[in-house]
Amino acid sequence: VLSENVKITTRDNLAPVIVALDGTEHTLKKFMTSKFKFTVTDPENELNEVGYDNATDSDVFTKENDVYVLTIDAKAIPAGTYRSRIYASDAAGKLSECEIVFVVEENSAPEQVAQFENILFTARSKSRMIDLNEYISDPDGESLEYSVVSSSESVAKVSVSKGTLTVNSVAFGTAEITITATDALQKSLIATFKVVVRDGTKAVDIYPNPVNDVLFIENGNNLEAVSIYTITGVLVYNEQCVSNNVQVN
């Protein structure tokens, strides 16, 4: 007795499917650590191996639940263009590949976008607040750390919190304020301005009195010229200037 003929048709084996959920080409700022997700499936549910060929020592491929994650730490990678590869094979050895291209940009130092103006206080125990983000920015979009120093805390004290600089007048005199803005990779910018604290009830400040070696003359605005006469009317000093303070030796 002959058995009934049975016809079986087999389909071609399909390769695994790799899907880059966030794309395959990326540009990274130097301070960034970025994560990109992928799914890897097999149409016949015969996925055998999933692997990754690193471009550097700082791009890491892991599996989180049903999603594969590529983590790239750009801080640890020199600026440049890199190519890596995800590959997947099924039980029959059918192979799929996905190339990832990422560019790590050079880190840029903070930039001064506006000039700091000198501050004039016409009394002690006054304060001024300055939003440093209006004067300094980072081309890469990094958050900046600020430090500030006064050359004379007996004249002006300074502090900074969340990008806001506070200047307090303490005593009459002049101080230079130095601001340092630093990005995540320790590139920095230094900016300075002056603080003048004077007695607003007087037209000009002259000290010390009596004078021994150096006479200091200060005004709230820039002085155009300084002339000094003796008590008998003899001109002993005459100088053009473009500053709000003058030292006469």
Side-chain angles (χ1 to χ4, degrees):
V1 178
L2 297 176
S3 62
E4 183 180 356
N5 291 330
V6 178
K7 184 178 180 180
I8 300 176
T9 302
T10 60
R11 296 180 299 175
D12 291 337
N13 181 42
L14 299 176
V17 178
I18 303 172
V19 178
L21 300 178
D22 302 305
T24 59
E25 296 184 2
H26 306 283
T27 300
L28 309 178
K29 300 294 185 181
K30 195 72 173 67
F31 69 95
M32 297 172 64
T33 297
S34 302
K35 293 179 179 289
F36 306 106
K37 295 181 178 180
F38 302 81
T39 59
V40 182
T41 57
D42 185 74
E44 288 89 21
N45 294 319
E46 294 182 343
L47 191 63
N48 180 48
E49 180 185 12
V50 178
Y52 178 71
D53 290 333
N54 299 62
T56 74
D57 291 335
S58 298
D59 51 307
V60 179
F61 190 68
T62 58
K63 186 177 182 181
E64 299 178 6
N65 299 320
D66 294 329
V67 177
Y68 292 87
V69 179
L70 172 60
T71 303
I72 303 174
D73 181 9
K75 293 190 297 296
I77 302 174
T81 300
Y82 299 88
R83 287 175 168 81
S84 60
R85 180 180 72 109
I86 299 172
Y87 57 89
S89 63
D90 63 11
K94 196 85 169 183
L95 182 69
S96 293
E97 297 180 336
C98 176
E99 184 183 62
I100 300 97
V101 179
F102 60 93
V103 177
V104 178
E105 295 184 334
E106 290 280 0
N107 183 52
S108 299
E111 296 178 344
Q112 187 168 342
V113 295
Q115 191 69 30
F116 285 96
E117 296 182 357
N118 296 332
I119 296 177
L120 169 65
F121 290 108
T122 56
R124 291 169 290 192
S125 302
K126 298 294 183 180
S127 65
R128 180 83 59 86
M129 299 180 73
I130 300 172
D131 183 358
L132 295 177
N133 296 317
E134 295 181 0
Y135 297 86
I136 300 173
S137 69
D138 188 84
D140 304 316
E142 298 172 73
S143 296
L144 298 175
E145 293 289 335
Y146 293 102
S147 62
V148 292
V149 176
S150 171
S151 64
S152 178
E153 291 199 342
S154 62
V155 173
K157 288 187 176 182
V158 290
S159 62
V160 63
S161 176
K162 298 180 179 180
T164 299
L165 170 65
T166 302
V167 184
N168 296 290
S169 61
V170 179
F172 299 143
T174 302
E176 183 173 77
I177 309 304
T178 300
I179 304 161
T180 303
T182 306
D183 69 13
L185 296 177
Q186 303 306 304
K187 282 196 173 183
S188 61
L189 166 79
I190 296 176
T192 62
F193 65 90
K194 288 184 178 180
V195 173
V196 176
V197 184
R198 62 179 304 271
D199 187 348
T201 64
K202 297 179 180 179
V204 65
D205 299 321
I206 302 174
Y207 60 92
N209 186 17
V211 61
N212 292 321
D213 298 318
V214 181
L215 176 67
F216 295 90
I217 303 173
E218 293 185 352
N219 188 23
N221 300 311
N222 283 346
L223 298 166
E224 295 180 1
V226 173
S227 300
I228 301 176
Y229 297 84
T230 68
I231 195 170
T232 60
V234 177
L235 179 65
V236 294
Y237 180 88
N238 185 57
E239 190 73 33
Q240 301 294 316
C241 56
V242 289
S243 175
N244 70 317
N245 60 83
V246 176
Q247 297 182 18
V248 181
N249 295 317

